[in-house]
Amino acid sequence: MSSIYLTTVLQKSYKMKLAILDDYQSISPVYFNPLASRVSISYFPETLNPRDATQHEALIARLLPFDIIVTMRERTPLSAETLRRLPNLKLLVTTGTRNLALDVEFCTARGIPVAGTAGRIPGVSSTVQHTWGLILGLARGIARDDAALKRDGKWQGEGQGHLGMTLAGKTLGVLGLGKLGMGVARIALAFDMRVVAWSTNLTRERADETARAAGVDPRMITVVGSKEEFFEQTDVVSLHCVLSERSRGIVGREELKAMKKDALLVNTSRGPLVDEEALLETLRSGGIRGAALDVFDPEPLPADSPWRTTQWGEEGRSEVLVTPHMGYVDEQIQLWYAEAAENVVRWLDGEELKVRLN
């Protein structure tokens, strides 16, 4: 039997191995299971954090056998350090049109194609909707009152003195005036709020351009001159920055100290934008009225995290409302997984990938 014949037989019998990461809600199988006759599929819903040395080694051991990796946007970082230890990797698929947690340049240099997804439900983005859910939930004490009514049998706090915050006439501060920031700002105007914006690169001209693109009168958006001024005058601060080394910790002790005593901080962007220890200190001492957080570092949030275990809103501590990074988790994920599965099929068939990222 010739070696060429053996090689051909082995190639035909080899089944590509596909790993699907971080599908917390088990949405992907309905889209990927139909591929089981062509690829060997493994699901890994438990996220490993590569910034922890032990978990990094476990992540590499987990992914080493796989030819194809499908990852949910920015849940598991895949740096060059990680990718260079995955010699079998031939295709990387992510949800979304960009994923800053992937080293796309490294993949390009290694000839590994990276594919994304473009499917979107039209209208106001899910992150903007979730941001306003958090703002209203915190300002009106909705989660607190729900728990008091159902768990404790209390009616209107019964002497605890909790009153809802009226948003009309208050100032919303948008830190990062991109599409999401402007989407949040546009809704604030409907609540008769004043809107101010700041970021390290924001200019009046850029703010005007973003406002016009969103159908907002640019005169309704005030661009403040400094970060200190921004935090001093806002009643609600909403973060909408891209995480980078420059923006990491952009909200620290000085910024939190500058906020009004009855101000709210809302973060649906990235956890490391805020100095966590500084925020915990501020909230434990009741330095601001409250915080609503959808993002953390690390994620998933550990069971013993103070965000889970502290009795917030009691004994002088600020109110805290938390959600498990749900800002972009809605029906749209079904579109993303459908596209991701389609990309795998296209690659197996030698066809051009949709939404090629490199």
Side-chain angles (χ1 to χ4, degrees):
M1 188 178 293
S2 71
S3 60
I4 295 176
Y5 176 77
L6 280 172
T7 301
T8 302
V9 170
L10 288 172
Q11 285 176 340
K12 287 184 177 180
S13 63
Y14 177 72
K15 210 174 188 182
M16 291 278 186
K17 296 181 176 65
L18 165 65
I20 298 177
L21 308 183
D22 308 322
D23 179 12
Y24 301 147
Q25 298 179 344
S26 298
I27 297 168
S28 60
V30 69
Y31 302 101
F32 284 92
N33 283 349
L35 280 61
S37 62
R38 305 188 64 181
V39 292
S40 175
I41 307 171
S42 298
Y43 296 94
F44 299 101
E46 305 86 6
T47 297
L48 293 171
N49 179 9
R51 281 178 290 178
D52 178 283
T54 301
Q55 292 190 50
H56 187 219
E57 292 304 313
L59 178 65
I60 291 166
R62 168 186 284 180
L63 298 180
L64 188 59
F66 291 95
D67 306 279
I68 307 167
I69 296 174
V70 175
T71 182
M72 175 59 67
R73 182 173 180 254
E74 298 187 20
R75 287 185 179 174
T76 295
L78 293 174
S79 65
E81 180 185 1
T82 302
L83 292 166
R84 70 168 48 95
R85 295 177 63 184
L86 303 177
N88 297 314
L89 183 62
K90 301 175 182 64
L91 172 67
L92 184 56
V93 181
T94 180
T95 56
T97 55
R98 70 174 180 177
N99 187 340
L100 299 180
L102 307 182
D103 195 320
V104 176
E105 289 185 8
F106 178 86
C107 290
T108 302
R110 285 291 180 92
I112 301 169
V114 182
T117 61
R120 288 196 177 277
I121 297 174
V124 177
S125 83
S126 60
T127 301
V128 171
Q129 294 178 50
H130 197 77
T131 299
W132 271 102
L134 290 177
I135 292 173
L136 293 170
L138 185 61
R140 306 301 304 182
I142 292 171
R144 178 197 66 225
D145 289 345
D146 175 78
L149 191 62
K150 293 192 298 194
R151 182 191 63 200
D152 303 327
K154 293 183 178 179
W155 184 259
Q156 290 196 7
E158 293 189 6
Q160 296 181 30
H162 293 300
L163 297 176
M165 177 180 179
T166 298
L167 294 175
K170 298 292 197 304
T171 297
L172 171 73
V174 180
L175 203 164
L177 195 68
K179 288 183 179 179
L180 294 178
M182 183 56 74
V184 171
R186 186 172 64 173
I187 293 172
L189 296 173
F191 279 96
D192 293 326
M193 297 183 76
R194 174 174 175 257
V195 177
V196 302
W198 178 87
S199 68
T200 52
N201 294 322
L202 185 63
T203 63
R204 179 70 261 177
E205 293 73 23
R206 184 175 294 182
D208 291 352
E209 181 181 340
T210 305
R212 291 191 189 98
V216 173
D217 183 344
R219 294 172 298 180
M220 303 301 291
I221 309 295
T222 300
V223 177
V224 297
S226 69
K227 183 161 67 166
E228 182 181 12
E229 180 185 357
F230 173 83
F231 281 95
E232 286 177 344
Q233 64 179 267
T234 47
D235 299 292
V236 180
V237 174
S238 189
L239 306 184
H240 301 284
C241 293
V242 172
L243 179 63
S244 66
E245 286 310 308
R246 184 172 64 174
S247 65
R248 185 179 294 271
I250 197 168
V251 181
R253 280 183 174 81
E254 293 305 312
E255 290 74 27
L256 293 166
K257 192 181 298 182
M259 291 178 69
K260 298 177 182 179
K261 178 79 171 178
D262 59 351
L264 308 178
L265 178 72
V266 181
N267 188 5
T268 56
S269 188
R270 292 292 178 266
L273 292 172
V274 182
D275 181 332
E276 183 178 67
E277 285 306 313
L279 181 57
L280 282 167
E281 289 176 15
T282 298
L283 297 170
R284 283 168 176 153
S285 65
I288 60 176
R289 180 181 177 118
L293 309 173
D294 184 49
V295 288
F296 306 89
D297 186 29
E299 293 181 2
L301 199 60
D304 62 351
S305 166
W307 298 117
R308 290 180 183 260
T309 59
T310 304
Q311 297 300 308
W312 297 109
E314 299 179 8
E315 300 178 353
R317 290 182 287 270
S318 305
E319 294 281 352
V320 172
L321 181 62
V322 293
T323 52
H325 204 154
M326 299 296 288
Y328 71 105
V329 180
D330 62 9
E331 293 98 331
Q332 184 167 285
I333 286 183
Q334 295 171 333
L335 300 180
W336 286 346
Y337 276 131
E339 277 192 75
E342 181 185 354
N343 267 325
V344 171
V345 171
R346 293 175 74 90
W347 182 77
L348 291 171
D349 291 342
E351 298 177 4
E352 185 176 346
L353 293 165
K354 296 181 69 175
V355 195
R356 181 77 181 258
L357 302 187
N358 66 348

